[in-house]
């Protein structure tokens, strides 16, 4: 009997999305080890007429060596810095823009990454030199490798920002060791293809092993506001670039600024209120989670500020427009006036329109009540605008999302925040997203307990045959995460992929306890000899 194993994801309220992955037996991927700090090298070896590019941590205890496909080089939050005003560093981006760098000078909080050619013997290659060339970069931003001389001048070795050519390479000396700066312009996962080449002395032949892929995980800083005074919508003006922006200003800690993808606001379950009669905020008895306009112990004190906008730049008032909301309930912003009335500024219960806005004055600062009708993760998108002095048209900021965690969270939402605390992009965090491009969407990774950031097949469904009452049956074994209580698992089978009548299988052959997970095996309802071929699929749905 010919068999195949398939997986799919379907939100319970939507129905099946379709085929998400074909788990072929030939798939040969391994779990990946994440390297977070320590002296590490891109090791380059040539032995037995073959190149061996690897990742080495030879000063570790014990020393370790990894094939590039089984290790991830993490670029931690400590790598974040800003591009200097010096035009020589413009290859990293605009002055003042964030950039993430693994530096050539060791920082104990980061991977200290270099090139290691100590194992290349003298006399093997012409001039005792090999070349390492950048072949491709796949990721959310640009990638560069450079070093800096004694006078502070950068020497760019590789740079994807201006296109990848043969010039994106570095010559390395046999028996040597060299450290450089590894720069990334945007957080996220990068796959960097490097190729080693050289001219052999004995045969005078050029040799290459082909591109080898290295994976980097660039982790942004992320601050969770739990009790601070934070001006979440703080208008900022960059006079050099003539750009208006919205950032979060942590007034409790000296006004530190955070981009919207670097922070999140937590609304505790203690701020769940029951609406009294006579309000315009909902019906009597309805729940409403509130971040209040007055200071409240142990709760974020969320404000709006235009204090950073200097006089003479914009006319009054400025505008902060609500653009859209992603979340399980409705979102409201209002002020309770001196006489106890409700001045509602934003309210998604009747849709989102031009009147859903705040109008702070230049140099001003104000506080509101921020309300949510149910718990869960909300991503609220705002856009600031204003008319420059002496002009007649609006200057706009980018549409900027801010994240609110309104407790308690559902298990899947908790899983999302564990993996991407401040991430706002739906193509990364949504249940149907597949950020690591390993053919398993996030909902499937959640259901199976696998890592959504890196390619892995550990815990994926597997076909087997089992025997019951002397009869052989096809079966599907899969991992079930005990904490995923909002996840529905369903094994189905069919004898032809062109058929639409997938049969739900309900015969549980075995359940093995593995602590936080279970290994579940569901057998077919028909014997193996009843059909020439059989296809099995694991479907998962979120409640």
């Amino acid at each position: 009997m010919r068999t195949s194993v398939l997986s799919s994801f379907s939100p319970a309220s939507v129905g099946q999305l379709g085929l998400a992955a074909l788990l072929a037996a030939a798939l040969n991927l391994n779990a990946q080890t994440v390297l977070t700090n320590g002296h590490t090298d891109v090791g380059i070896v040539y032995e037995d007429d073959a190149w061996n590019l690897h990742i080495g941590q030879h000063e570790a205890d014990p020393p370790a060596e990894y094939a590039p496909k089984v290790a991830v080089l993490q670029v931690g939050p400590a790598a974040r810095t800003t591009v200097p005003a010096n035009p020589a560093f413009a290859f990293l981006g605009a002055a003042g823009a964030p950039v993430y760098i693994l530096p050539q000078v060791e920082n104990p909080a980061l991977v200290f990454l270099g090139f290691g050619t100590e194992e290349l013997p003298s006399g093997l290659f012409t001039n005792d030199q090999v070349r390492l060339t950048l072949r491709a970069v796949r990721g959310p931003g640009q990638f560069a490798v450079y070093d800096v001389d004694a006078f502070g001048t950068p020497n760019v070795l590789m740079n994807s920002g201006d296109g990848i050519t043969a010039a994106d390479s570095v010559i390395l000396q046999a028996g040597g060791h060299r450290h450089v700066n590894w720069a990334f312009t945007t957080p996220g996962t990068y796959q960097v293809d490097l190729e080693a080449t050289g001219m052999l002395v004995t045969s005078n032949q050029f040799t290459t092993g082909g591109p080898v892929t290295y994976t980097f995980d660039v982790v942004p800083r992320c601050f969770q506001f739990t009790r601070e005074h934070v001006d979440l919508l703080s208008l900022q003006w960059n006079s050099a670039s003539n750009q208006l922006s919205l950032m979060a200003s942590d007034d409790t800690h000296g006004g530190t600024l955070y981009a919207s993808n670097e922070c999140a606001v937590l609304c505790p379950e203690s701020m769940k209120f029951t609406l009294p009669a006579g309000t315009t905020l909902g019906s009597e008895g309805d729940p409403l989670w509130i971040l209040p306009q007055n200071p409240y112990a142990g709760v974020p004190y969320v404000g709006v500020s235009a204090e950073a906008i200097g006089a003479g730049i914009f006319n009054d008032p400025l505008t902060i427009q609500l653009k859209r909301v992603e979340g399980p309930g409705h979102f409201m912003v209002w002020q309770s006036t001196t006489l106890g009335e409700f001045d509602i500024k934003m309210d998604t219960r009747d849709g989102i329109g031009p009147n859903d806005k705040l109008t702070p004055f230049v140099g001003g600062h104000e506080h509101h009540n921020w309300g949510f009708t149910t718990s869960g993760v909300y991503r609220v998108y705002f856009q600031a605008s204003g008319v420059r002095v002496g002009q007649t048209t609006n200057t706009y900021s980018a549409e900027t999302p801010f994240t609110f965690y309104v407790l308690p969270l559902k298990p899947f939402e908790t899983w999302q925040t564990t993996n991407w605390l401040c991430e706002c992009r739906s193509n990364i965090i949504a249940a149907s997203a597949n950020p690591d491009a390993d053919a398993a969407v996030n909902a499937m990774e959640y259901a199976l307990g696998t890592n959504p950031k890196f390619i892995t097949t550990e815990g994926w469904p597997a076909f087997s045959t089992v025997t019951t009452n002397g009869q052989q049956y096809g079966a599907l074994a899969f991992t079930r995460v005990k904490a995923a209580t909002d996840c529905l698992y369903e094994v189905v089978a069919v004898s032809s992929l062109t058929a639409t009548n997938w049969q739900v299988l309900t015969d549980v052959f075995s359940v093995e306890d593995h602590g936080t997970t279970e290994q579940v095996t569901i057998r077919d309802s028909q014997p193996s000899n009843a059909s020439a071929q059989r296809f099995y699929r694991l479907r998962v749905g979120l409640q």
Side-chain angles (χ1 to χ4, degrees):
M1 181 179 70
R2 176 171 165 247
T3 62
S4 288
V5 181
L6 308 139
S7 71
S8 65
F9 156 64
S10 57
S13 61
V14 176
Q16 185 170 310
L17 292 181
L19 182 64
L22 172 61
L23 307 184
L27 195 57
N28 185 26
L29 299 172
N30 299 298
Q32 293 176 298
T33 299
V34 180
L35 306 178
T36 59
N37 59 6
H39 189 171
T40 307
D41 291 319
V42 172
I44 303 172
V45 177
Y46 188 86
E47 55 187 1
D48 299 327
D49 297 324
W51 291 95
N52 172 15
L53 270 65
H54 59 270
I55 298 172
Q57 287 197 316
H58 302 298
E59 294 183 7
D61 186 17
E65 188 172 296
Y66 305 92
K69 68 179 181 180
V70 302
V72 174
L73 296 158
Q74 186 179 91
V75 184
R80 187 188 187 278
T81 185
T82 55
V83 179
N86 184 344
F89 289 88
F91 67 94
L92 297 176
V99 63
Y100 301 80
I101 301 175
L102 293 178
Q104 69 183 83
V105 178
E106 187 168 11
N107 179 338
L110 297 170
V111 172
F112 184 37
L113 186 61
F115 298 119
T117 53
E118 294 94 334
E119 296 181 67
L120 290 178
S122 178
L124 180 61
F125 290 98
T126 301
N127 298 323
D128 285 334
Q129 292 178 341
V130 296
R131 184 182 294 273
L132 192 67
T133 302
L134 177 66
R135 291 304 186 193
V137 176
R138 296 172 295 281
Q142 303 302 329
F143 165 77
V145 175
Y146 69 100
D147 56 19
V148 179
D149 67 19
F151 300 101
T153 302
N155 172 38
V156 181
L157 304 171
M158 303 174 183
N159 180 19
S160 68
D162 58 359
I164 298 174
T165 68
D168 291 293
S169 65
V170 56
I171 295 176
L172 301 170
Q173 203 71 25
H177 183 247
R178 179 176 180 179
H179 279 273
V180 292
N181 301 285
W182 305 72
F184 306 83
T185 60
T186 306
T189 301
Y190 292 73
Q191 291 182 313
V192 177
D193 293 350
L194 300 175
E195 182 179 20
T197 58
M199 186 70 71
L200 294 168
V201 171
T202 54
S203 62
N204 198 33
Q205 288 186 334
F206 178 81
T207 175
T208 175
V212 176
T213 301
Y214 289 80
T215 301
F216 295 83
D217 180 31
V218 182
V219 180
R221 66 175 180 173
C222 183
F223 189 85
Q224 189 168 334
F225 296 107
T226 60
R227 60 184 66 241
E228 293 78 10
H229 177 186
V230 52
D231 289 330
L232 189 68
L233 303 181
S234 178
L235 290 101
Q236 305 290 318
W237 174 250
N238 187 323
S239 58
S241 61
N242 286 332
Q243 288 185 328
L244 185 65
S245 63
L246 287 169
M247 300 187 74
S249 175
D250 183 357
D251 287 6
T252 298
H253 299 105
T256 301
L257 292 176
Y258 294 91
S260 67
N261 64 347
E262 296 177 333
C263 64
V265 178
L266 186 145
C267 180
E269 193 171 2
S270 62
M271 299 310 291
K272 177 184 177 182
F273 296 89
T274 300
L275 289 179
T279 78
T280 59
L281 305 175
S283 301
E284 180 181 3
D286 285 349
L288 190 65
W289 282 254
I290 302 174
L291 294 171
Q293 69 184 47
N294 299 315
Y296 204 101
V299 177
Y301 184 36
V302 181
V304 176
S305 174
E307 295 164 296
I309 305 296
I313 300 175
F314 282 92
N315 294 314
D316 278 325
L318 298 160
T319 299
I320 300 175
Q321 189 77 45
L322 176 64
K323 302 299 291 185
R324 56 192 172 103
V325 175
E326 297 171 355
H330 289 294
F331 169 73
M332 290 176 278
V333 177
W334 76 95
Q335 287 178 322
S336 299
T337 67
T338 305
L339 300 178
E341 297 176 340
F342 298 99
D343 182 10
I344 297 178
K345 305 291 187 180
M346 299 176 178
D347 186 353
T348 65
R349 291 176 298 170
D350 58 355
I352 299 175
N355 292 327
D356 292 294
K357 63 183 179 181
L358 303 173
T359 53
F361 286 94
V362 171
H365 177 247
E366 55 194 45
H367 282 267
H368 304 78
N369 300 288
W370 306 69
F372 309 86
T373 60
T374 190
S375 62
V377 179
Y378 292 76
R379 289 179 173 83
V380 185
Y381 294 73
F382 302 94
Q383 186 175 46
S385 64
V387 178
R388 297 282 306 277
V389 171
Q391 299 182 5
T392 57
T393 58
N394 272 306
T395 296
Y396 291 92
S397 75
E399 192 174 297
T400 308
F402 288 89
T403 301
F404 297 84
Y405 296 125
V406 182
L407 303 185
L409 302 182
K410 291 181 178 179
F412 179 71
E413 293 171 329
T414 300
W415 179 86
Q416 285 178 306
T417 61
T418 299
N419 285 285
W420 304 284
L421 183 59
C422 290
E423 181 58 69
C424 296
R425 293 171 292 176
S426 59
N427 66 320
I428 299 294
I429 62 175
S432 59
N434 183 19
D436 57 0
D438 67 353
V441 298
N442 284 336
M444 188 64 69
E445 305 254 26
Y446 165 66
L448 300 178
T450 53
N451 192 323
K453 295 182 179 181
F454 311 120
I455 295 174
T456 177
T457 58
E458 285 193 356
W460 281 22
F463 171 78
S464 65
T465 57
V466 299
T467 301
T468 300
N469 297 326
Q471 185 71 57
Q472 190 178 70
Y473 295 86
L476 188 66
F478 61 92
T479 299
R480 182 166 62 195
V481 177
K482 292 181 181 179
T485 56
D486 55 348
C487 186
L488 302 175
Y489 299 78
E490 190 175 70
V491 174
V492 295
V494 74
S495 296
S496 172
L497 286 178
T498 60
T500 58
N501 58 332
W502 287 82
Q503 176 191 356
V504 178
L505 304 182
T506 59
D507 292 312
V508 179
F509 179 78
S510 65
V511 178
E512 299 176 10
D513 194 312
H514 295 286
T516 59
T517 64
E518 296 172 323
Q519 185 75 10
V520 181
T521 301
I522 307 291
R523 74 166 177 84
D524 205 337
S525 60
Q526 67 177 45
S528 298
N529 58 10
S531 178
Q533 62 180 11
R534 197 71 166 152
F535 299 90
Y536 298 90
R537 170 180 285 175
L538 174 66
R539 295 195 297 214
V540 301
L542 298 178
Q543 296 176 311

